[in-house]
Amino acid sequence: MSIEARLKDLNITLPDAPAPAANYVPFVQTGNLVFVSGQISAGENGLITGKLGADLDVEAGQAAARRCGLALIAQLKAAIGDLDRVVRVVKLGGFVNSTPDFTDQPKVVNGCSDLMVEVFGDAGRHARAAVSAGSLPLGVAVEVDAVFEVK
């Protein structure tokens, strides 16, 4: 099954690839690797803001991380055109805006990781970091960057 067909089957609509918010590019391809800049948590109604452990629970954080994942896939599609060119998701870097005593960053970033496996199957399994941040740009809850291998 093609990735586009899988997205349709999963009832997933990709957002438009977000424009960069500062002096950087949204993706860089070198050889067979595509590095996608950090995508911040945003939904249909705007930014998903707040601090895990104070304003948001793990479930809300997972939803925010999933939205980051959708933006990552949208950026990847803008970079390579055809998502069937994806060989594998190599690595995700997850940053969670959280209180000093919040320790469930891995559970939050699972919202993005789970999406990658849903969409890309076994090729969506990846290496990962999930770390706490005292603050993230614009007060968002989550930011995730990614490296993809393509053919």
Side-chain angles (χ1 to χ4, degrees), residues 28 55 57 66 93 96 143:
V28 171
D55 310 310
D57 62 14
R66 182 179 178 90
V96 180
E143 180 173 355

mmCIF file of all heavy atoms in Angstrom, residues 28 55 57 66 93 96 143:
data_model
loop_
_atom_site.group_PDB
_atom_site.id
_atom_site.type_symbol
_atom_site.label_atom_id
_atom_site.label_comp_id
_atom_site.label_asym_id
_atom_site.label_seq_id
_atom_site.Cartn_x
_atom_site.Cartn_y
_atom_site.Cartn_z
ATOM 1 N N VAL A 28 16.753 20.124 4.894
ATOM 2 C CA VAL A 28 17.981 20.048 4.105
ATOM 3 C C VAL A 28 18.158 18.594 3.713
ATOM 4 O O VAL A 28 18.055 17.700 4.570
ATOM 5 C CB VAL A 28 19.215 20.529 4.905
ATOM 6 C CG1 VAL A 28 20.510 20.230 4.151
ATOM 7 C CG2 VAL A 28 19.113 22.003 5.237
ATOM 8 N N ASP A 55 0.249 22.770 33.057
ATOM 9 C CA ASP A 55 -0.938 23.134 32.277
ATOM 10 C C ASP A 55 -1.539 21.975 31.497
ATOM 11 O O ASP A 55 -2.719 21.996 31.174
ATOM 12 C CB ASP A 55 -0.570 24.230 31.255
ATOM 13 C CG ASP A 55 0.176 25.386 31.877
ATOM 14 O OD1 ASP A 55 -0.295 25.901 32.902
ATOM 15 O OD2 ASP A 55 1.231 25.756 31.343
ATOM 16 N N ASP A 57 -1.613 17.556 30.644
ATOM 17 C CA ASP A 57 -1.295 16.202 31.092
ATOM 18 C C ASP A 57 -0.612 15.434 29.959
ATOM 19 O O ASP A 57 -0.449 15.946 28.846
ATOM 20 C CB ASP A 57 -2.543 15.476 31.599
ATOM 21 C CG ASP A 57 -3.628 15.286 30.542
ATOM 22 O OD1 ASP A 57 -3.360 15.461 29.326
ATOM 23 O OD2 ASP A 57 -4.766 14.948 30.926
ATOM 24 N N ARG A 66 1.952 14.489 18.386
ATOM 25 C CA ARG A 66 1.404 13.932 17.140
ATOM 26 C C ARG A 66 1.276 15.023 16.089
ATOM 27 O O ARG A 66 1.594 14.817 14.919
ATOM 28 C CB ARG A 66 0.060 13.258 17.404
ATOM 29 C CG ARG A 66 -0.550 12.608 16.170
ATOM 30 C CD ARG A 66 -1.880 11.923 16.506
ATOM 31 N NE ARG A 66 -2.492 11.350 15.335
ATOM 32 C CZ ARG A 66 -2.278 10.109 14.897
ATOM 33 N NH1 ARG A 66 -1.455 9.312 15.551
ATOM 34 N NH2 ARG A 66 -2.890 9.667 13.813
ATOM 35 N N GLY A 93 14.063 13.906 17.400
ATOM 36 C CA GLY A 93 14.520 14.628 18.586
ATOM 37 C C GLY A 93 13.338 15.367 19.167
ATOM 38 O O GLY A 93 12.813 16.284 18.534
ATOM 39 N N VAL A 96 10.199 18.700 25.169
ATOM 40 C CA VAL A 96 8.936 18.843 25.879
ATOM 41 C C VAL A 96 9.047 19.996 26.866
ATOM 42 O O VAL A 96 9.919 19.995 27.743
ATOM 43 C CB VAL A 96 8.572 17.530 26.617
ATOM 44 C CG1 VAL A 96 7.261 17.669 27.369
ATOM 45 C CG2 VAL A 96 8.523 16.362 25.635
ATOM 46 N N GLU A 143 8.209 20.343 20.641
ATOM 47 C CA GLU A 143 8.876 20.544 19.355
ATOM 48 C C GLU A 143 9.616 19.261 19.024
ATOM 49 O O GLU A 143 10.223 18.650 19.908
ATOM 50 C CB GLU A 143 9.864 21.707 19.419
ATOM 51 C CG GLU A 143 10.589 21.948 18.105
ATOM 52 C CD GLU A 143 11.457 23.195 18.093
ATOM 53 O OE1 GLU A 143 11.444 23.951 19.079
ATOM 54 O OE2 GLU A 143 12.163 23.387 17.086
#
